[in-house]
C-alpha cells in the first residue's frame, strides 16, 4: 500500500468537483477552469495509494483569490471540509485514521478492490484555530498534524511572506507538543522554521521540494532538510513542474520524472532514503498542464515508482510514511 502525504480532497469538493466520478466524467463537467483534474477516488484506488494525508485547507483572500479575512471565516471553511470528509466516510469512500493502531490495521488489511481510502487529517495553515485553546476541538475531530503557515498566518511567516513565529505560534506549538499533534513544516518560512522544530520536534514536511534546484522560500534548504532528518521526519516530493526545475514556465515542455528523482536523490544524500516520501499535491491548485511528463492522471503514479532506484521504491512510495505514522500517531 502506497501513501501520499498531501492531497486537498475536501478543498476540491468545495470548488464543486465531484471526486466520486470517474476522471473522464469529472473532466467533462469540471467547474474549475484552466487546470485539468487528475485526482478522483477511482484514480486513487487504481494508483496503489491506500492512505493519504487529507488537508483541511482554508483559502485566505489574496490578490488572486477570494477567501477568508478573519479566523472565523477560516474556521468555517475548515469545518465545512471536516464535514465533507465525514460524509465521504459515511458513504464508505474513505476511512479516517487517527491512531497508529488504526493505520497498522488499515495497512495490513488494505485491498485496493474493496477497502476505503485511509485518510489522516492534516490542517494546512493554522488560521482556522481561534487560538491554542481551540486545539483540543480539532484534535478530537481527528486532526493529527498542523502546518502553521501557508502564506502569512496569525501563527507564522510562510510562503512568499517571510517572518518568524508569532507569540500565538509559539503557544500553539507548545500545545501541539503537549497533545501529540505533529507539525507539518511545508510552507513555513525559514525564519520561523528553526524555532518551530525546537518547539515541536515531532515533524515532517508533507509536500516540499529542494531549494537546490528551485529558488524561493517555498522550498527546503539543505539545512532545513537536515533539521527534519535529525528528528526522524519524512519529506514528501511534490509533483509540480514549477517546483521541480528553476525557472520552468507552462509554455515549456513539462519536466520529466528524472527531475523528481533528482530531488529525491538530493534528499537521500543529506538524510538517507528513510527521509524521502511522496506528497504529490496533485490536486493542489494545478492540473495536468503542470504535472511531470508521464503523470497524466493520478493512477499514473506507478511511473514515479519506476523512476526511482529499484531498491528504494517501496520505502519512498509508502514504507517511510507508514513507519513515521506508526511511530508518531
Ligand atoms: Zn500546499
Amino acid at each position: 500500500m502506497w501513501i501520499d502525504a498531501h492531497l486537498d480532497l475536501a478543498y476540491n469538493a468545495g470548488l464543486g468537483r465531484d471526486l466520486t466520478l470517474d476522471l473522464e466524467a469529472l473532466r467533462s463537467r469540471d467547474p474549475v477552469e484552466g487546470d485539468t483534474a487528475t485526482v478522483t477516488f477511482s484514480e486513487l484506488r487504481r494508483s496503489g495509494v491506500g492512505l493519504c494525508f487529507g488537508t483541511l485547507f482554508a483559502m485566505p483572500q489574496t490578490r488572486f483569490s477570494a477567501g477568508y479575512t478573519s479566523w472565523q471565516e477560516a474556521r468555517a471553511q475548515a469545518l465545512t471540509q471536516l464535514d465533507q470528509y465525514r460524509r465521504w466516510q459515511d458513504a464508505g469512500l474513505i476511512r479516517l485514521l487517527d491512531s497508529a493502531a488504526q493505520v497498522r490495521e488499515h495497512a495490513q488489511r488494505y485491498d485496493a478492490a474493496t477497502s476505503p481510502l485511509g485518510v489522516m487529517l492534516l490542517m494546512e495553515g493554522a488560521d482556522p484555530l481561534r487560538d491554542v485553546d481551540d486545539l483540543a476541538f480539532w484534535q478530537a475531530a481527528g486532526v493529527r498534524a498542523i502546518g502553521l503557515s501557508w502564506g502569512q498566518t496569525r501563527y507564522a511567516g510562510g510562503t512568499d511572506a517571510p517572518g518568524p513565529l508569532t507569540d500565538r505560534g509559539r503557544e500553539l506549538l507548545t500545545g501541539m507538543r503537549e497533545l501529540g499533534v505533529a507539525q507539518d513544516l511545508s510552507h513555513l518560512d525559514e525564519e520561523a522554521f528553526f524555532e518551530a522544530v525546537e518547539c515541536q520536534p515531532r515533524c515532517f514536511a508533507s509536500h516540499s521540494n529542494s531549494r537546490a534546484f528551485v529558488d524561493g522560500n517555498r522550498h527546503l534548504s539543505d539545512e532545513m532538510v537536515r533539521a527534519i532528518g535529525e528528528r526522524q521526519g519524512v519529506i514528501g516530493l511534490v509533483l509540480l513542474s514549477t517546483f521541480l526545475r528553476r525557472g520552468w514556465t507552462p509554455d515549456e515542455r513539462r519536466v520529466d520524472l528524472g527531475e523528481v528523482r533528482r530531488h529525491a536523490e538530493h534528499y537521500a544524500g543529506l538524510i538517507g532514503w528513510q527521509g524521502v516520501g511522496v506528497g504529490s499535491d496533485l490536486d493542489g491548485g494545478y492540473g495536468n498542464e503542470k504535472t511531470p511528463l508521464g503523470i497524466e492522471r493520478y493512477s499514473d503514479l506507478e511511473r514515479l515508482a519506476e523512476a526511482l532506484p529499484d531498491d528504494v521504491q517501496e520505502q519512498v512510495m509508502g514504507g517511510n510514511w507508514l513507519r513515521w505514522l506508526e511511530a508518531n500517531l
Side-chain angles (χ1 to χ4, degrees), residues 282-297:
L282 275 169
D283 58 1
Y286 65 97
N288 191 198
E289 295 77 7
K290 296 183 181 175
T291 60
L293 281 168
I295 306 288
E296 312 307 323
R297 50 196 297 156

Side-chain angles (χ1 to χ4, degrees), residues 6 124 150 187 207 218 281:
H6 202 96
E124 181 174 23
W150 184 65
H187 286 287
H207 62 317
R218 175 66 183 82
D281 202 21

Side-chain angles (χ1 to χ4, degrees), residues 69-134:
T69 57
S70 65
W71 70 263
Q72 290 92 338
E73 290 172 7
R75 197 169 191 275
Q77 286 189 37
L79 286 170
T80 300
Q81 292 177 19
L82 174 63
D83 188 52
Q84 176 66 71
Y85 285 111
R86 288 176 170 171
R87 280 182 283 130
W88 280 331
Q89 178 165 258
D90 291 345
L93 290 161
I94 71 168
R95 177 185 175 197
L96 293 168
L97 305 171
D98 61 15
S99 71
Q102 285 179 8
V103 168
R104 196 172 300 121
E105 194 221 296
H106 180 76
Q108 281 167 357
R109 290 202 195 159
Y110 183 75
D111 173 348
T114 56
S115 302
L117 173 71
V119 175
M120 185 201 82
L121 293 178
L122 160 67
M123 185 179 283
E124 181 174 23
D127 271 342
L129 272 79
R130 182 188 63 236
D131 54 34
V132 66
D133 293 334
D134 198 18

Side-chain angles (χ1 to χ4, degrees), residues 114-296:
T114 56
S115 302
L117 173 71
V119 175
M120 185 201 82
L121 293 178
L122 160 67
M123 185 179 283
E124 181 174 23
D127 271 342
L129 272 79
R130 182 188 63 236
D131 54 34
V132 66
D133 293 334
D134 198 18
L135 183 60
F137 167 85
W138 292 100
Q139 194 215 23
V143 172
R144 288 295 173 270
I146 298 174
L148 264 57
S149 55
W150 184 65
Q152 176 75 47
T153 63
R154 293 175 298 133
Y155 296 91
T159 297
D160 297 330
L165 290 180
T166 63
D167 289 342
R168 200 187 287 277
R170 286 183 195 98
E171 273 175 27
L172 178 58
L173 287 172
T174 304
M176 286 162 60
R177 193 180 62 226
E178 285 165 3
L179 285 183
V181 176
Q183 175 177 202
D184 184 356
L185 296 158
S186 291
H187 286 287
L188 202 60
D189 181 62
E190 61 196 311
E191 195 182 341
F193 180 102
F194 290 101
E195 189 182 351
V197 293
E198 298 296 324
C199 293
Q200 170 49 312
R202 185 179 296 198
C203 65
F204 57 79
S206 67
H207 62 317
S208 289
N209 288 349
S210 168
R211 208 182 294 177
F213 310 108
V214 212
D215 300 319
N217 83 337
R218 175 66 183 82
H219 315 290
L220 298 173
S221 69
D222 290 357
E223 204 184 340
M224 294 161 93
V225 173
R226 285 195 201 94
I228 295 169
E230 281 162 14
R231 291 163 180 82
Q232 283 73 53
V234 177
I235 304 171
L237 300 161
V238 189
L239 302 181
L240 169 57
S241 289
T242 49
F243 286 12
L244 287 163
R245 185 198 300 162
R246 185 174 286 117
W248 183 87
T249 61
D251 27 293
E252 290 172 61
R253 188 172 185 269
R254 288 148 56 209
V255 307
D256 62 39
L257 286 165
E259 298 198 42
V260 183
R261 174 171 170 151
R262 197 166 61 136
H263 285 259
E265 288 178 335
H266 185 74
Y267 284 157
L270 294 168
I271 60 173
W273 283 104
Q274 73 272 11
V276 187
V278 176
S280 77
D281 202 21
L282 275 169
D283 58 1
Y286 65 97
N288 191 198
E289 295 77 7
K290 296 183 181 175
T291 60
L293 281 168
I295 306 288
E296 312 307 323

